[in-house]
Amino acid sequence: MTRIVLSAGAILVLLLCLPWTLIGKTPEPNRVRRYVPEAPVKQPEQTEWTFSADRVVGDHTSEYVEAFGNCSLSLGEDQLRADFARYYQSTGWVFLKGNIRAQWGGDFLQADEGEFDLNNMTGWLKNGKLFMAKPHIYVEAERVARNSGDSYSFKNAKVTSCSGEKPAWSVTTEEGDVELDGRVHLYRSAFRIKDVPVFYWPYMSLPGRTKRQSGFLMPYMSNSKKLGMQVNLPYYWVINDEMDATFYQNYMSKRGYMQGIQFRHSEDADTKGLWQVDVMRDNRRASTEADEWEDYQGDGLTRSNRDRWWVRSKYDGWLGSPKWQVKLDIDVVSDQNYLRDFQDGPTGFDTAREDFLDVFGRDIANKDALDRLSTAYISRSWDRFGVVGLAQYDQNLRFMNGNNSSDKNDTVQKMPELDGFAFQQSLFGTPLEASMDTKYNYFYREYGNSGHRFRVTPEVKLPIKTSLLTLIPSISADYTAYNLTSHEKTGNLTVDGPSGRDQIINTDEIKDGFQSRALWSAGFTAFSEMTKTFNVNEPAKPELSLAGTSRWTRLKHSVVPRVQYGYTPTVTGQTKLPYFDALDRIDGENKVTYSLTNTLDRRRDSVVLSAGKDGEPVAVTSIDYLDFLLFRLEQSYDLKENSRNDQRAKYERRPFSDVMAELRIKPDTFIEILTRNWFSPYKSDMTQSETSLKVFDDALGEIVVGYDFQAEVDEYLRERSDEMSILRLEAKWRATEDFTLSAKYRHDFVSERDIERTLQLDWAAECYSLYIAVTQKTNDTQFKLGFDLLSF
């Protein structure tokens, strides 16, 4: 801890001494800005100034009029007050002296002496103080001038966004100015903490709030076992109204220097893009698996490369017309451990994932995934039809950096995929409803079979609805045709089977040339809904004495039983067909799934106050509804498994699936309980669980308790080798308006070790924010420090 504190202090001193010529700021840096045209500003109509004082000397023939005691000039919300005033009638100038107080254009001024031009709203102050509310800036100067265009200039001044005689931070400067957008320019200035000078620089620029501005952003600092002391200093560049870029200079004492760039653009409401790349030459490499961190070992892969990089982006746009939507996802990385090494910070994996989900609603693969997918889409929808074109590149990290032979890379690439959809619709005006999907693919492999596949799957349904039951029988067909362009016998291919068990594909059995497969499926879905409403209390009366009270008045209980049956005959001869994905090996099915869902919905009546016709408060009743409880049971019965004779000596028949029990309770907006549990009727035990409890309050904070459990399973229908038992605890306490304390704890009961322990303190003061965090993960301890002195 002593080394951590000393390192943090050294970083802070280093940063305060950096030659910052610009400090930039952009609102919502994790969002791609949307283009919104600015509305014209309506100028107020000019009227005459109102002048009053205790004593006035002069008349309408005089060159000027002097006023003594409680002098006041006002024009709408603009006001000037002083002990003495001299008004020049011909020019509109006014000279003020003694205890000057002014409110001008939303700004507040205070001085000993000053002059103002009442016609064009300009002037100057001597020994003045200025507070600009819009950018939240305090200026105390020997001379302050208000220039045309609502801008200010000053000499021998102290500038800060903190209030008080001794602000937490301030900048003293010989000269400076404040632009209309709130940007402050300072010349020959000194940065001070509690009036103590820390560093001097000939020019500085502080941002405003009204628009995006170029400049350095606040640095990210941390210290960890894996990366060492880390300082990431971003520079933000506003290219134009639709584009911006951020350049990252990321130094890590144990790993080296990483450079990164992020480019964002949003030309119109249908277009937005985020493109980011980071490159570095790592001081550390792992030529053998034993050289890797302990939590990276066990995958049989090494990392001998020093040149490391990550390219990721997402783009939404259109081609030719906004009706033709284009989406692009790029995710390529130098090695299998890059994203695990660099998880945190503004260029880390966690930030990128949050950005993509927040802006585009699309995720990326987990940081430890060995397949990184890059995809390009184009789509168009009409009332009844739709088309999608797709090209996808799978970067298989198992074959990079000398891991496995690239000549044996059997990764499947989709180049391209074309899909056509006929949405479900009435068939020739009959009660029948039909839909159809078509799919064409060209699959390419460097090693193994490549070729074409065409698949068409029409489906017909006949919805039948009565007062007691809804029945939807359906029948569908599946025709698939193949034509190989490259045929190689590569031995056994291990793939993920439909039940989670590894499936072995013998490529030597696959035949060349044109082949096809035809099959059909049928089934039905049947469900009903039974409801009953109970009166809990009388409806709330809208009386003033009951204002602020609420009570439950109705309770609705709904029960929905559902049965779903599906049948697909077993098709033989599929071992001769090419294998590109799971659609090439379709198992027969004869299974029924049944469930029972219970829902409780409450009606709440609240008495609230509202303004009446005469402005007097009146009581009205506000009604809201909430599904506060849901309980669902679901299970399947596999008739095919019930008659299975294969591998009976090793696997006994188990046609009943696990019973899934789901419970969701949300009695009010501040608490939510969700749990899903799977119970095996054969083991008489739980095989999987997902449970979370969340209690939150906007003023106090929140508490989250979660538990995820997964047992090892080895059955004929399914296989799961990974066992999981993880407890998750999170808490956030808003101790005061300024202080927030957060904690996170995750424990793995299988490995009997803590996965993560994090403690973070956030301090949000009037003119700056600060956070300090300590995180302990497997084989790594990280200390993070962040601050923002520009809370304008």
Side-chain angles (χ1 to χ4, degrees), residues 68-72 80-85 96-101:
F68 302 86
N70 296 319
C71 303
S72 174
L80 300 173
R81 299 179 183 274
D83 294 338
F84 170 80
L96 304 173
K97 189 174 182 179
N99 198 26
I100 298 175
R101 300 288 189 273

Side-chain angles (χ1 to χ4, degrees), residues 136 161-163 167-169 194 209 736-740 762-771 787-792:
H136 198 89
S161 62
C162 309
S163 59
W169 68 268
K194 285 293 184 179
R209 272 185 173 178
T736 67
E737 293 184 356
D738 299 337
F739 289 94
T740 301
D762 293 271
W763 183 10
E766 173 200 16
C767 56
Y768 64 93
S769 62
L770 171 71
Y771 76 87
F787 57 90
D788 184 1
L789 301 180
L790 305 173
S791 302
F792 288 173

Side-chain angles (χ1 to χ4, degrees), residues 650-663:
K650 184 177 181 181
Y651 299 109
E652 61 179 282
R653 293 172 179 168
R654 291 185 172 179
F656 286 101
S657 72
D658 290 353
V659 178
M660 193 279 291
E662 177 183 2
L663 176 64

Side-chain angles (χ1 to χ4, degrees), residues 482 509-511 515-517 570-578 584-586:
Y482 302 87
E509 297 182 9
I510 296 175
K511 289 187 176 182
Q515 297 186 76
S516 64
R517 177 194 65 194
T570 301
V571 178
T572 59
Q574 294 190 78
T575 57
K576 300 179 181 180
L577 299 176
D584 298 318
R585 298 292 185 271
I586 296 181

Side-chain angles (χ1 to χ4, degrees), residues 78-307:
D78 295 335
Q79 294 184 353
L80 300 173
R81 299 179 183 274
D83 294 338
F84 170 80
R86 180 185 295 132
Y87 175 66
Y88 294 86
Q89 301 183 75
S90 60
T91 62
W93 270 87
V94 60
F95 172 76
L96 304 173
K97 189 174 182 179
N99 198 26
I100 298 175
R101 300 288 189 273
Q103 180 178 343
W104 200 313
D107 303 330
F108 297 89
L109 304 95
Q110 177 183 346
D112 296 334
E113 187 177 305
E115 288 187 15
F116 293 93
D117 184 347
L118 301 181
N119 294 323
N120 56 26
M121 310 289 281
T122 59
W124 59 268
L125 297 172
K126 182 179 180 181
N127 296 327
K129 294 181 180 180
L130 164 67
F131 173 65
M132 298 181 68
K134 194 171 185 179
H136 198 89
I137 296 175
Y138 295 91
V139 178
E140 184 176 346
E142 181 181 299
R143 179 184 172 89
V144 178
R146 192 179 197 277
N147 307 316
S148 59
D150 293 337
S151 63
Y152 291 88
S153 58
F154 38 82
K155 292 185 177 181
N156 298 327
K158 179 168 71 173
V159 181
T160 182
S161 62
C162 309
S163 59
E165 293 297 325
K166 283 191 175 183
W169 68 268
S170 62
V171 179
T172 55
T173 181
E174 293 184 16
E175 290 184 79
D177 57 73
V178 183
E179 297 177 358
L180 178 61
D181 59 11
R183 178 174 280 275
V184 182
H185 302 276
L186 305 175
Y187 307 92
R188 300 176 298 281
S189 57
F191 184 84
R192 297 173 179 266
I193 297 179
K194 285 293 184 179
D195 284 344
V196 178
V198 177
F199 72 90
Y200 169 84
W201 198 247
Y203 171 73
M204 293 181 65
S205 179
L206 308 180
R209 272 185 173 178
T210 56
K211 67 177 183 179
R212 298 145 56 239
Q213 295 170 345
S214 300
F216 284 101
L217 304 178
M218 280 298 165
Y220 170 84
M221 298 181 297
S222 69
N223 189 10
S224 67
K225 178 181 177 182
K226 289 184 178 180
L227 307 181
M229 189 182 302
Q230 180 181 8
V231 179
N232 194 336
L233 182 61
Y235 179 81
Y236 178 70
W237 176 31
V238 178
I239 302 173
N240 55 40
D241 288 344
E242 289 82 34
M243 300 178 184
D244 56 43
T246 306
F247 302 89
Y248 297 94
Q249 312 304 314
N250 189 5
Y251 172 74
M252 295 161 283
S253 61
K254 291 186 177 180
R255 311 304 287 271
Y257 179 55
M258 176 187 291
Q259 288 183 300
I261 181 173
Q262 180 190 80
F263 173 66
R264 308 185 307 173
H265 60 98
S266 180
E267 289 80 2
D268 53 57
D270 297 308
T271 304
K272 55 186 176 183
L274 192 157
W275 315 78
Q276 192 162 357
V277 58
D278 295 289
V279 295
M280 72 172 300
R281 184 164 180 80
D282 201 337
N283 295 334
R284 187 180 188 275
R285 63 180 176 182
S287 300
T288 65
E289 194 171 1
D291 296 331
E292 280 290 9
W293 303 102
E294 182 181 350
D295 51 328
Y296 295 179
Q297 297 176 10
D299 57 5
L301 303 177
T302 62
R303 185 189 63 79
S304 58
N305 58 301
R306 291 190 186 274
D307 294 327

Side-chain angles (χ1 to χ4, degrees), residues 627-748:
D627 289 338
F628 73 92
L629 187 144
L630 181 143
F631 179 64
R632 183 165 67 99
L633 293 172
E634 182 177 290
Q635 191 186 35
S636 297
Y637 182 79
D638 195 324
L639 286 82
K640 182 182 176 183
E641 168 69 5
N642 186 54
S643 59
R644 171 180 58 86
N645 294 317
D646 183 37
Q647 299 189 50
R648 287 287 307 279
K650 184 177 181 181
Y651 299 109
E652 61 179 282
R653 293 172 179 168
R654 291 185 172 179
F656 286 101
S657 72
D658 290 353
V659 178
M660 193 279 291
E662 177 183 2
L663 176 64
R664 182 177 64 84
I665 304 175
K666 191 175 182 179
D668 214 324
T669 56
F670 66 88
I671 184 171
E672 183 174 5
I673 301 172
L674 176 63
T675 178
R676 296 188 184 95
N677 300 278
W678 286 260
F679 299 89
S680 171
Y682 304 101
K683 295 184 176 182
S684 300
D685 199 359
M686 185 168 63
T687 60
Q688 189 174 347
S689 177
E690 301 170 358
T691 302
S692 65
L693 165 65
K694 184 176 181 180
V695 181
F696 51 94
D697 183 271
D698 292 338
L700 297 178
E702 64 181 31
I703 297 175
V704 179
V705 179
Y707 178 68
D708 296 318
F709 170 77
Q710 186 173 280
E712 184 178 351
V713 176
D714 186 11
E715 300 173 350
Y716 182 82
L717 289 179
R718 59 177 178 163
E719 181 182 34
R720 190 166 58 210
S721 58
D722 296 332
E723 187 177 356
M724 179 175 64
S725 180
I726 296 177
L727 173 67
R728 183 179 76 257
L729 303 175
E730 298 180 24
K732 180 183 292 184
W733 176 41
R734 295 183 176 88
T736 67
E737 293 184 356
D738 299 337
F739 289 94
T740 301
L741 184 64
S742 305
K744 181 185 293 186
Y745 175 76
R746 290 191 299 153
H747 181 79
D748 187 351

Side-chain angles (χ1 to χ4, degrees), residues 1-56:
M1 182 58 70
T2 302
R3 291 195 300 269
I4 292 174
V5 173
L6 290 175
S7 299
I11 294 173
L12 183 59
V13 172
L14 173 64
L15 290 172
L16 292 177
C17 296
L18 282 175
W20 289 356
T21 58
L22 288 173
I23 300 178
K25 189 171 186 179
T26 175
E28 298 181 286
N30 291 338
R31 293 181 180 271
V32 173
R33 191 188 63 79
R34 295 182 179 274
Y35 175 77
V36 179
E38 296 183 358
V41 179
K42 184 179 179 180
Q43 298 295 333
E45 297 181 0
Q46 294 293 326
T47 59
E48 294 183 354
W49 284 84
T50 302
F51 183 42
S52 65
D54 293 342
R55 183 167 62 93
V56 179

